[in-house]
Amino acid sequence: MRFSKIIFFIVLVLACLPSFSQSAKQQQLEEERQRLRQEIAEMKKLRANNKVKERSVLDEVESIGSQISTRQNLIKITNQQANLLSREINTNFKKIDSYRKELNVLREDYAKMVAKSYKSKSHQSRIMFLLSSSNFMQAYKRLQYMKQYNEHRKEQAEKIESSTKELQQLNSALSKQKSDKQKLIDENREAQESLKKEKKQQQVLMATIRKKQGVYTRQIKKKQQQASAIDKAIEKLIKEAIAKANKKAGKKVTKKGSATTFALTAEAKKLADNFTSNKGRLPWPVGTGKVTKKFGRQPHPTLPNIQINSSGVEIETRAGERARAIFEGEVIAIQKLKGAGRLVQIRHGNYITTYYNVENITVKEGQKVATKEAIGEVRTNPTTGRAIMKFLIYQNAKRLNPQTWIYKM
């Protein structure tokens, strides 16, 4: 009997393992779903605030396109959650069936024991059972048997009660899972309707752009030229910073602005190593925001036949949002660049992070800053009403992709 209980317990544990795994996955999906919902809510606020501003058609299309992309991800995650819940519901059905079968077996065994006990329940028959023993040893064994039989009855009754409670809990969990699944289905239906409306708005705006494609193409190319000029100015600042640091460290510099690698002190090397070891886990340069332009060469989000190049990432955030250092380091430059607002550069060993389109700067050159320390405020464009900061990471004079360094960017 003990062996069969052990087997039953092992089978029960093995049956529960997939549900533990599914629960962890469900929690992960729910966290991602809530994050996407929050992101959509933030984008709605940004667009609502910007409606009173004079926004270009290109800005509007980009904004709607970003919202459509996020909503599609939300629908995908919600579908995954609903499918996972379906699997959990099926698993629960199988568990309930298994419990019911086990409960029926227990009840049948218990009924037989009760019937057998009832037939020999009289106190006199028990005494006669003991007295009829041929010797003391047989009487002792019979007494032990009666004791074990009573304990077994008690165990069976407790097991029936426990199995009944587990069955009730499973039924309750199943009911909740069905309700949760229906909520997800309803939410997805609403998301699909919102997606249709947003795509329709996008199509109307795209039709306007196609009518004046030449005008918008020239606008995009002009913006790209401005961005390239800003990139060159940033790279010049970085090379000057390297040359200045190397001169201070006693390293010979042959030509001003030609240095491309920092000469690291032991302290600077340690800081650089710490920065490297945190790759993929560094905090965002703003408390809340969304990447509106990724790193590298890519098709323009509005006119895909035009290629654009981004030296960093562009992050749209709320008006008044604080810009913050992604890692401890030293402020090496605060500059005003044409078309970029003000810029802050922070050195982390042989790494440099650049934050531009920043105003109300709260740090100064030479100042040591801590991770997540506020360095200023993301500037809000008075014409478009959008607060967008460009963020770059360099290792020495080499441009890096911030999305591989910042956590979940």
Side-chain angles (χ1 to χ4, degrees), residues 46 50 290 315-321 357 378-381 384-389:
L46 288 171
N50 294 340
K290 175 177 174 57
I315 303 168
E316 182 167 7
T317 184
R318 298 175 295 196
E321 183 69 26
N357 201 31
V378 180
R379 179 178 173 270
T380 300
N381 188 307
T384 65
R386 299 177 76 185
I388 297 176
M389 180 180 75

Side-chain angles (χ1 to χ4, degrees), residues 23-53:
S23 296
K25 179 66 175 175
Q26 189 68 263
Q27 185 178 349
Q28 183 183 350
L29 288 171
E30 178 60 20
E31 287 173 0
E32 180 66 10
R33 187 173 73 94
Q34 292 300 337
R35 185 188 70 77
L36 290 169
R37 289 183 69 185
Q38 180 65 26
E39 201 170 287
I40 289 173
E42 289 291 339
M43 282 191 283
K44 280 183 177 179
K45 284 181 185 177
L46 288 171
R47 290 189 67 209
N49 292 337
N50 294 340
K51 276 183 181 177
V52 296
K53 304 291 182 179

Side-chain angles (χ1 to χ4, degrees), residues 5 11 32 39 42 67 128 159 211 219 224 235 290 320 325 328 333 355 360 369 408:
K5 285 182 184 176
V11 171
E32 180 66 10
E39 201 170 287
E42 289 291 339
Q67 193 163 315
M128 291 301 296
K159 197 167 184 182
K211 287 178 182 177
Q219 286 181 11
Q224 190 66 48
E235 287 174 4
K290 175 177 174 57
E328 62 179 300
Y355 315 72
N360 300 326
V369 293
K408 288 187 176 180

Side-chain angles (χ1 to χ4, degrees), residues 199-349:
K199 283 187 173 180
K200 192 173 181 180
Q201 289 176 355
Q202 188 185 44
Q203 287 168 0
V204 171
L205 290 169
M206 285 301 295
T208 304
I209 288 172
R210 279 192 290 270
K211 287 178 182 177
K212 298 180 179 179
Q213 186 162 339
V215 174
Y216 292 120
T217 299
R218 286 193 292 274
Q219 286 181 11
I220 292 167
K221 286 182 177 178
K222 186 179 179 180
K223 281 186 177 181
Q224 190 66 48
Q225 288 170 357
Q226 290 171 345
S228 296
I230 292 167
D231 289 341
K232 286 178 182 177
I234 289 172
E235 287 174 4
K236 183 183 176 184
L237 284 173
I238 289 172
K239 287 179 180 179
E240 287 175 356
I242 292 172
K244 183 180 178 181
N246 289 352
K247 185 178 180 181
K248 187 177 179 181
K251 183 180 178 181
K252 187 178 179 181
V253 180
T254 55
K255 183 181 176 183
K256 185 180 178 182
S258 64
T260 57
T261 306
F262 279 104
L264 297 179
T265 62
E267 184 182 359
K269 186 177 185 309
K270 183 179 178 182
L271 184 60
D273 289 343
N274 287 340
F275 190 94
T276 304
S277 65
N278 279 280
K279 184 176 182 179
R281 295 184 287 116
L282 293 167
W284 280 57
V286 288
T288 181
K290 175 177 174 57
V291 173
T292 53
K293 187 179 288 183
K294 296 180 179 180
F295 172 84
R297 195 158 190 80
Q298 58 202 283
H300 189 273
T302 309
L303 298 172
N305 57 317
I306 298 177
Q307 289 286 313
I308 58 173
N309 188 50
S310 179
S311 57
V313 293
E314 290 186 9
I315 303 168
E316 182 167 7
T317 184
R318 298 175 295 196
E321 183 69 26
R322 307 293 289 176
R324 61 189 192 181
I326 65 161
F327 201 71
E328 62 179 300
E330 180 185 347
V331 178
I332 58 170
I334 297 173
Q335 293 280 335
K336 175 73 174 74
L337 296 181
K338 185 180 178 182
R342 291 172 71 78
L343 163 153
V344 177
Q345 285 185 328
I346 301 174
R347 180 186 170 190
H348 321 270

Side-chain angles (χ1 to χ4, degrees), residues 61-74:
V61 171
E62 283 185 35
S63 178
I64 291 177
S66 181
Q67 193 163 315
I68 285 171
S69 175
T70 304
R71 197 177 296 281
Q72 286 171 331
N73 284 336
L74 175 63

